[in-house]
Amino acid sequence: MEPRAVRHDWTREEIQGLYELPFLDLVFQAAEVHRTHHNAREVQVCSLLSIKTGGCPEDCGYCSQSVHHQTGVEVQPLLQVEEVIAAAERAKEAGATRFCMGAAWREVRDNRAFERVLEMVRAVRSMDLEVCCTLGMLTEAQAEKLKEAGLYAYNHNIDTSPENYSSVCSTRTIEDRLDTLEAARNAGLTVCCGGILGLGENDGDRVGMLHTLATLQHHPESVPINSLVQIEGTPFAGNPEVSVWDFIRTIAVARITMPKAMVRLAAGRLNLSREAQALAFLAGANSIFAGEKLLTTPNPEFNEDLEFLSHLGMRGKLPDVGEKTPAQCCS
Ligand code: SAM
Ligand code: DTB
Ligand code: SF4
């Protein structure tokens, strides 16, 4: 087989073998794969906005927005379209090319709130930004409506391995997650799907999560790797901090097993030194969330990130907003 072919038949043992490589061998291999498939000087700069905050009926153990945990996050009903446009303008001005809107919903319902989200998508799309939404579970018909409105990507994470899933969330199953991903895929949306480190998982769970993603029929175009931002009042507050080495290993294995995907250094960057972030870029990360807030927690400021990228000789990647169909790159 051609050494750089995109594979969907990874065995768990192979992925485990990659994860266990000597650290620098792994980073070197990942850097080679990265440089074969991507311009290693480009980083995608994404901005996040919580369009509906808190009050979520799901019990995800990491989340500040679940009604099952007392976290002090204030419930904020669905924003107005104008507020979203203003935020997207600020993000674009600051240098973002992808704008991701998150709602603390268990699932999308066919109601006026969804109509308003469709309006938000149309508006942000008209600003030549890649538009991404993360709204919980959805049906194929709903995904089609989002696609028609101009949505580029749907984010829906599997978070951890299939075996560990029930210890992270008990109000849905990983199969529910995979069904939603399939609905988004069938509607022609690109898929953004990754997970979180720091949920009490072991190395085998990290391998299991990557194995699940890397053996999907189509790899996600975008794979966010989050490091838990600990939230007081959630079951995972007080967990041991994620090792930087493990975080970078996970990024490197995601890069090797899903060569064409954008691998995002997602939540948790405030706990990572700039040197560690640079190592993560070397290991194949090529996307970040920028801007002072993620959904409910702090994140590095735009200016600091842009300065940092420029210090590394890197630049922001242009948005994929042309006429070509985006999803075809990662099949
Ligand atoms: N409610 C929707 C859902 O769960 O699909 C969308 C929003 S949810 C906050 C999006 C993702 O953010 C989660 O799947 C999880 O991977 C990540 N996330 C949430 N809280 C986090 C935290 N405290 N630390 C790191 N990542 C987190
Ligand atoms: C993803 O994987 N990480 C983002 C985005 N997709 C929606 C969310 C991170 C949230 C971090 C915790 C918070 O700010 O509440
Ligand atoms: Fe709700 Fe999403 Fe938070 Fe889970 S991660 S509690 S589904 S907002």
Side-chain angles (χ1 to χ4, degrees):
M1 180 183 300
E2 193 210 319
R4 298 290 180 229
V6 176
R7 291 179 49 196
H8 300 259
D9 61 350
W10 294 97
T11 65
R12 205 159 157 151
E13 291 67 34
E14 281 177 297
I15 297 183
Q16 179 91 32
L18 289 171
Y19 191 88
E20 288 172 355
L21 278 174
F23 184 79
L24 292 177
D25 292 358
L26 174 60
V27 170
F28 184 73
Q29 201 173 312
E32 278 190 316
V33 172
H34 184 44
R35 281 152 197 267
T36 304
H37 292 275
H38 300 268
N39 178 341
R41 292 195 186 160
E42 281 186 353
V43 179
Q44 178 186 51
V45 178
C46 314
S47 169
L48 255 182
L49 178 69
S50 184
I51 57 170
K52 185 265 169 179
T53 310
C56 182
E58 301 275 39
D59 71 351
C60 310
Y62 47 78
C63 188
S64 62
Q65 304 194 66
S66 163
V67 289
H68 299 266
H69 324 310
Q70 309 240 289
T71 65
V73 159
E74 224 178 284
V75 175
Q76 165 83 244
L78 187 64
L79 296 182
Q80 297 300 326
V81 178
E82 296 69 36
E83 296 175 278
V84 172
I85 294 175
E89 278 168 353
R90 283 195 299 273
K92 185 175 175 175
E93 180 74 11
T97 53
R98 181 163 169 131
F99 190 73
C100 179
M101 299 182 267
W105 286 337
R106 169 178 162 76
E107 73 233 313
V108 173
R109 305 226 170 119
D110 294 303
N111 56 17
R112 284 164 65 179
F114 183 44
E115 292 300 321
R116 199 192 291 174
V117 171
L118 293 173
E119 255 188 77
M120 295 172 185
V121 171
R122 279 183 216 107
V124 178
R125 172 66 188 85
S126 73
M127 298 166 61
D128 279 349
L129 288 163
E130 282 179 26
V131 197
C132 174
C133 275
T134 179
L135 312 169
M137 295 185 260
L138 47 58
T139 63
E140 203 168 311
Q142 292 163 339
E144 279 165 8
K145 285 190 182 168
L146 286 162
K147 170 78 185 167
E148 268 165 40
L151 192 73
Y152 183 91
Y154 198 74
N155 165 255
H156 202 66
N157 292 341
I158 58 166
D159 286 335
T160 190
S161 67
E163 312 82 84
N164 195 38
Y165 198 82
S166 62
S167 78
V168 172
C169 181
S170 76
T171 48
R172 59 173 186 243
T173 62
I174 198 165
E175 285 74 29
D176 292 329
R177 295 304 262 185
L178 294 170
D179 287 348
T180 290
L181 291 168
E182 201 176 309
R185 177 63 77 203
N186 289 344
L189 294 169
T190 69
V191 165
C192 172
C193 183
I196 313 184
L197 268 53
L199 306 178
E201 75 284 349
N202 56 33
D203 289 346
D205 292 315
R206 292 167 186 166
V207 167
M209 175 180 88
L210 293 169
H211 180 249
T212 304
L213 296 174
T215 53
L216 288 173
Q217 207 185 341
H218 294 272
H219 292 162
E221 282 77 8
S222 170
V223 179
I225 306 291
N226 297 275
S227 173
L228 178 70
V229 180
Q230 298 204 1
I231 312 278
E232 216 43 63
T234 61
F236 295 130
N239 271 10
E241 286 294 326
V242 175
S243 138
V244 177
W245 309 108
D246 291 354
F247 192 51
I248 292 172
R249 272 184 190 281
T250 305
I251 284 172
V253 177
R255 166 53 64 224
I256 295 169
T257 53
M258 293 170 276
K260 294 198 175 188
M262 302 296 293
V263 175
R264 185 165 313 124
L265 185 51
R269 281 197 303 121
L270 279 178
N271 284 335
L272 269 192
S273 71
R274 289 301 192 180
E275 291 83 351
Q277 292 179 51
L279 196 50
F281 291 143
L282 184 65
N286 58 354
S287 175
I288 56 171
F289 286 119
E292 64 195 38
K293 205 161 171 206
L294 291 166
L295 292 172
T296 66
T297 63
N299 190 51
E301 307 242 353
F302 263 109
N303 286 345
E304 291 169 19
D305 273 335
L306 295 182
E307 238 172 71
F308 168 55
L309 292 180
S310 141
H311 177 73
L312 296 180
M314 299 174 87
R315 58 173 181 271
K317 181 179 177 294
L318 292 174
D320 185 6
V321 287
E323 284 309 304
K324 62 191 152 94
T325 38
Q328 290 155 358
C329 73
C330 287
S331 43

